[in-house]
Amino acid sequence: MSTPSPFPQAASHKPQASLGILGGGQLAQMLALAALPLGVRVLVLEPDPHAPARECAEVIQAPYTDPAGLERLCGCDAVTLEFENVPTLALAALEGRVPVRPGGELLERSKHRAREKLALHGAGAATAPFVVIEAAADLDGALERVGGRGVLKTCELGYDGKGQVRIGSQAELEGGWAALGHVPCVLEGWVSFGREVSLAVARNAGGELAFGGLIENVHQHGVLRTSLYLPGDPAEARARDLARRVAQDWQLEGLMTLEFFELPGGGGPGGELLVNEVAPRVHNSGHLTQDGGGLSQFEAQVRAALNWPLQDFAPLLPCAMVNILGWRQGQEPDWPGIYRLSGARLHLYGKAHQPGRKLGHVNLVAPDEGTLRRRLSELEALIPAFIP
Ligand code: AMP
């Protein structure tokens, strides 16, 4: 017997479908906002009582491994997620009872940098050179093997530049590994990239694929500051091809985002693409799809998770996004300026202020590239950059 729907069904307003989400942060909030007009009810499992999704979804406030909470998720049509480190216990409790998209096998890869890189190579995608560091003996000769300069990253649990140390000498490598607690790491070769770009791919259980556009990203202190989408980027076809290969090879069900380093290519964009990392979900760089016209990345993930028909979700107009991080005194964004800037739309997540914390973003859309770039400069001046 299947588990009954977790939602009471009012005869006059029967939801078309229900979607469970593991995690209740801003990504879950925006997934739920995209699900609403589709008639999809969203049920979130999240331990934090103040998590952003509480405003627009039903939230079970419990640990991710809570048996009663997981039991309720089993009554949904499908379960998706907003973060990669879903406890194995939670996945085991859901397995065979409700489709989890992306599924456990893909998550085991994407949450572990070394496994992810090997699986990317298996799918025919290139990465920066790397060496796995698991024991002190692995440090010998590692730096030379990646080109003499690199970044040491923990295999698990790193994000937004956390769990990373830049390495330029053997002494720094030894000290860096100690600073990271001697946990399993990868030493990546330093990539002198021309640009950082990203592209999302959605795939439903029937194997239907859909793609987002190629988005250019600028990070500051390891955290995304600005994303830019211009139709017709010369690197888009190559990025789509790589995303297709990985999605098919990894049997993706759901949505994932590939972050790339583009190597300098003959003075203009279009050089070789190395995959930096894969997020098994919507991504900060894709927030501009909320306002660029067409389908958003959030609707694409909802549809793919439910095995609904898909369509490409590249924006229809030039657009950009600037993140709003918690500010220091005297550095608060110019809110009236943001409200008045033509084509700008503010998205706040309802999180408590804390310096450096992602609190929201502003999307900007314009009819042409010149107008977008001009207004983006104005927007960036209205949101002071956060200096850690
Ligand atoms: P990550 O958490 O791996 O996405 O790293 C955060 C940011 O650090 C990236 O977006 C890059 O700007 C920079 N970074 C990470 N790895 C490398 C690398 N191997 N070479 C050069 N820059 C890197």
Side-chain angles (χ1 to χ4, degrees), residues 120-144:
L120 285 165
H121 291 184
T127 66
F130 70 98
V131 174
V132 182
I133 308 287
E134 286 173 325
D138 298 329
L139 299 173
D140 293 340
L143 196 54
E144 291 70 47

Side-chain angles (χ1 to χ4, degrees), residues 1 10 12 15 33 64-65 74 78 113 125 131 135 163 171 248 258 262 267 281 287 330 333 352 370 378:
M1 200 184 75
S12 59
L33 286 170
Y64 300 122
T65 50
C74 286
R113 288 189 192 269
V131 174
Q248 286 175 337
L258 286 82
E262 185 185 53
R281 50 167 173 79
H287 291 359
E378 288 177 47

Side-chain angles (χ1 to χ4, degrees), residues 195-207:
R195 295 191 298 169
E196 290 191 86
V197 296
S198 56
L199 184 131
V201 53
R203 184 173 176 271
N204 65 20

Side-chain angles (χ1 to χ4, degrees), residues 113 128 151 153 159-161 164 166 188-191 193 196 219 222 259 261 276-277:
R113 288 189 192 269
V151 189
K153 302 180 179 180
Y159 68 97
D160 284 348
Q164 298 188 10
R166 291 191 187 183
E188 272 179 35
W190 184 258
V191 181
F193 54 79
E196 290 191 86
H219 293 80
E259 290 180 72
F261 296 131
N276 174 26
E277 60 182 354

Side-chain angles (χ1 to χ4, degrees), residues 3-19 39-42 58 72 75-77:
T3 312
S5 163
F7 295 110
Q9 307 244 324
S12 59
H13 183 73
K14 188 173 178 302
Q16 283 192 49
S18 56
L19 181 66
V40 175
R41 297 284 304 267
V42 169
E58 189 168 329
R72 283 193 69 199
C76 294
D77 293 297

